[in-house]
Amino acid sequence: MKRYDFIIAGGGMAGLSLAYYLTQSSLRHKSVLILDREPKNRNDRTWCFWEHRDAAGPFESIIFRQWETVTFHGTTYAGPLGMGAYQYKMLRGIDFYRFVLDELAKWPTIERKQVTIEQISDTPTGGQVKADGVIYEADYVFDSTFQLSLDDRKNHNLLQHFKGWIIEAEKPCFDPDKAEIMDFRIEQHGDCRFVYVLPFDEKTALIEFTLFNEQLLADDQYDRVLRHYVDQYLETGGYIIRETEFGIIPMSDVRTEEKPAKHIVRIGTSGGATKASTGYTFQRTQRYLREMVQNMAQSGTPFRQTGWFDHRFKLYDSIFLNVLEQHRHPADDVFTRVYVKNPERVFRFLDEDTHFLDELKLFTTMPWWPFTSAFFAVMRRKWFG
C-alpha cells in the first residue's frame, strides 16, 4: 500500500483548487494523490461570483467575462445596482480545469488517478481511501465526495436548480458591459424564480432560469420558461441555442463537519463551503482552502479555527431559508429590498465580511414580521425538532 502526504478525494473545483494552493505554498514538495472518476476535459459547469477589484484571485487570467455594472429587475425597481468596488465575474469549468491541470503537471510529486472511490475511512496511522479495490493511505485525506444528508426535518433543505442556454441572436440585442443578475419578470408560482442574463458580446449571452424551492421541474418546463423569456423580453430577431447547462445546488443549513475524523478533512460543499442562503460556492471554497493550506504550512494541521461570533451567519442563512420555505413573504420582494436598499453592503454581507452594525442596517430594510417569525421558527426547529 503506497502512502502519500495528502490524498484529495474528488478532483473537481475544490480538490483541484486545494492541489493548486499546495503548489503555491511551502508544502509544494509534499506527495499528493488526486482521485476522481472523470478526466475533467469538458466544460461541465460555470461559476459566477463577485469579487473586490483590489483582491483579484489566482484565476484572474482565465476569467471568461467580467462586468463592472450589474442590473436588477424586481418588484419596485429596475435598473443598475450599486456594486461599489466589486466586479461580477464568470469562470468556465473547462478553462479552470486546463489552467490548474497544466500547473499541477509541473510537479512530479502530484499524481492523478481516474478511479471510482468506494470508501474513505480513518485509521490510527492515517486516512485511507479505497478506489477500484485498491487502498491508498495518507497523513490527511481531503474529501469533497461526501454527500450531505438533506432529509432531516430539523434543517431547511431547499434546492437551487437551474437550466441555462447560451444563445446566439440574429440581432445585436445585448449590452456586453451589463449583466442582469436577477430578473423576476417571470411567473413565481409561489416560489423564488428568476432569470439572469450574462452577455458575452452584442449577440451572444447565457440566459439562465433559476429556482429556489424543494421540487425539480420536468426538463421541458425549464425550456418553456427560457423560451418565453427570450421571446418576451429580448429582441433577438431569432436565435440559435449553442450550449445548454443544468445544475442542482443544495441550499441547506444541515450541520457540516470539516473534521469528521482525525485524518479526514471535508472540503467544498461537503465541508460547508456552499452558502445556504444563496448557493454560491466558488469564492467561499477558495477562501476556506487558502486558510487550510496556510494552517498546514504554519502548524502542520489543516483544520480552520473560527470564532463563535462568526457562526451568526449560519443563523442568518437559516432564517432566510425559513422565509423562503414557509412562503412568509414573496421572495421577489425580499430580494428587491436587500439588493436595492443595500448597495455594495449586500455583497460584503453575502461574503460574510460585514460587521454587526452593518448587518443591523441591512436587517432594517427587510419586512420585519416575516423575518421575526422565521427567527423564532428556526429556534424551535433547531432546539426541539
Side-chain angles (χ1 to χ4, degrees):
M1 177 174 58
K2 187 173 181 180
R3 186 180 178 91
Y4 299 82
D5 292 309
F6 308 125
I7 294 175
I8 299 175
M13 181 267 287
L16 292 179
S17 295
L18 173 59
Y20 174 80
Y21 289 129
L22 288 171
T23 67
Q24 305 302 301
S25 75
S26 60
L27 304 170
R28 60 179 62 90
H29 299 298
K30 296 287 187 179
S31 59
V32 180
L33 174 63
I34 305 171
L35 302 174
D36 196 272
R37 63 184 178 185
E38 297 180 354
K40 299 303 179 188
N41 57 4
R42 61 190 181 90
N43 191 39
D44 58 354
R45 65 195 64 225
T46 300
W47 297 289
C48 293
F49 54 92
W50 49 82
E51 189 171 52
H52 197 283
R53 61 167 52 92
D54 295 329
F59 309 117
E60 185 68 16
S61 64
I62 55 171
I63 292 297
F64 182 66
R65 291 291 186 278
Q66 67 182 38
W67 298 272
E68 300 283 344
T69 302
V70 296
T71 58
F72 181 92
H73 206 120
T75 54
T76 60
Y77 175 82
L81 293 176
M83 292 189 71
Y86 285 87
Q87 299 169 316
Y88 198 70
K89 300 181 178 182
M90 171 190 282
L91 176 59
R92 299 193 310 164
I94 189 62
D95 298 329
F96 171 82
Y97 301 142
R98 287 171 177 166
F99 174 84
V100 176
L101 292 176
D102 285 348
E103 289 296 315
L104 298 185
K106 300 174 183 177
W107 298 92
T109 53
I110 296 179
E111 294 182 42
R112 293 178 63 230
K113 293 183 182 292
Q114 190 174 339
V115 294
T116 299
I117 295 171
E118 300 166 0
Q119 185 180 9
I120 297 174
S121 56
D122 193 51
T123 75
T125 58
Q128 289 187 352
V129 181
K130 183 179 180 182
D132 289 349
V134 179
I135 296 177
Y136 306 92
E137 187 172 87
D139 294 343
Y140 287 106
V141 173
F142 295 89
D143 178 21
S144 66
T145 67
F146 178 79
Q147 298 296 309
L148 301 178
S149 175
L150 302 178
D151 55 6
D152 189 337
R153 294 182 63 83
K154 286 187 178 181
N155 304 314
H156 302 83
N157 299 305
L158 301 181
L159 298 173
Q160 177 181 152
H161 44 116
F162 50 88
K163 184 168 186 178
W165 292 348
I166 294 178
I167 69 169
E168 181 180 333
E170 292 184 8
K171 296 180 178 179
C173 57
F174 302 113
D175 184 345
D177 295 325
K178 295 180 180 179
E180 181 101 54
I181 62 170
M182 278 186 156
D183 189 337
F184 285 99
R185 290 179 294 175
I186 58 174
E187 290 292 334
Q188 296 296 295
H189 297 287
D191 295 325
C192 176
R193 301 184 176 205
F194 59 92
V195 173
Y196 61 84
V197 181
L198 304 181
F200 304 163
D201 54 47
E202 291 184 342
K203 292 186 177 182
T204 313
L206 170 63
I207 318 294
E208 195 131 296
F209 169 41
T210 302
L211 303 88
F212 299 168
N213 63 13
E214 299 169 285
Q215 187 65 47
L216 300 181
L217 304 181
D219 190 58
D220 66 317
Q221 292 178 282
Y222 297 99
D223 289 334
R224 194 178 306 133
V225 173
L226 286 166
R227 190 176 299 108
H228 173 77
Y229 182 88
V230 173
D231 292 344
Q232 183 77 18
Y233 300 113
L234 301 176
E235 297 181 3
T236 63
Y239 59 92
I240 299 172
I241 301 172
R242 292 297 188 187
E243 297 180 37
T244 65
E245 67 174 26
F246 179 79
I248 305 170
I249 300 172
M251 297 179 67
S252 173
D253 56 1
V254 61
R255 183 175 179 270
T256 54
E257 293 182 275
E258 278 189 3
K259 184 183 178 182
K262 183 177 179 180
H263 303 101
I264 298 174
V265 188
R266 290 180 183 151
I267 59 175
T269 296
S270 299
T274 297
K275 187 165 178 62
S277 59
T278 64
Y280 278 96
T281 305
F282 186 84
Q283 284 292 70
R284 286 163 61 87
T285 296
Q286 304 306 316
R287 178 181 296 191
Y288 291 1
L289 293 177
R290 285 194 294 264
E291 291 175 4
M292 284 184 182
V293 171
Q294 184 177 9
N295 286 350
M296 283 196 292
Q298 294 177 350
S299 65
T301 176
F303 303 111
R304 301 183 310 121
Q305 300 296 320
T306 56
W308 67 269
F309 195 52
D310 292 333
H311 291 289
R312 70 191 186 277
F313 289 102
K314 294 185 180 296
L315 174 60
Y316 301 159
D317 286 341
S318 294
I319 293 170
F320 182 75
L321 290 176
N322 188 271
V323 171
L324 292 181
E325 179 194 78
Q326 299 300 315
H327 309 287
R328 298 184 186 278
H329 193 83
D332 52 357
D333 187 60
V334 170
F335 278 101
T336 300
R337 291 171 182 242
V338 73
Y339 274 105
V340 175
K341 296 184 178 181
N342 297 277
E344 187 173 359
R345 181 189 296 126
V346 64
F347 299 104
R348 288 188 286 111
F349 174 73
L350 294 175
D351 278 345
E352 301 182 1
D353 286 334
T354 46
H355 298 293
F356 188 57
L357 182 58
D358 276 330
E359 293 149 26
L360 290 178
K361 291 178 180 177
L362 184 144
F363 298 155
T364 62
T365 66
M366 296 292 95
W368 71 272
W369 178 245
F371 278 80
T372 301
S373 301
F375 168 78
F376 287 109
V378 168
M379 293 298 100
R380 288 194 300 271
R381 184 181 291 194
K382 295 295 186 183
W383 289 349
F384 304 112

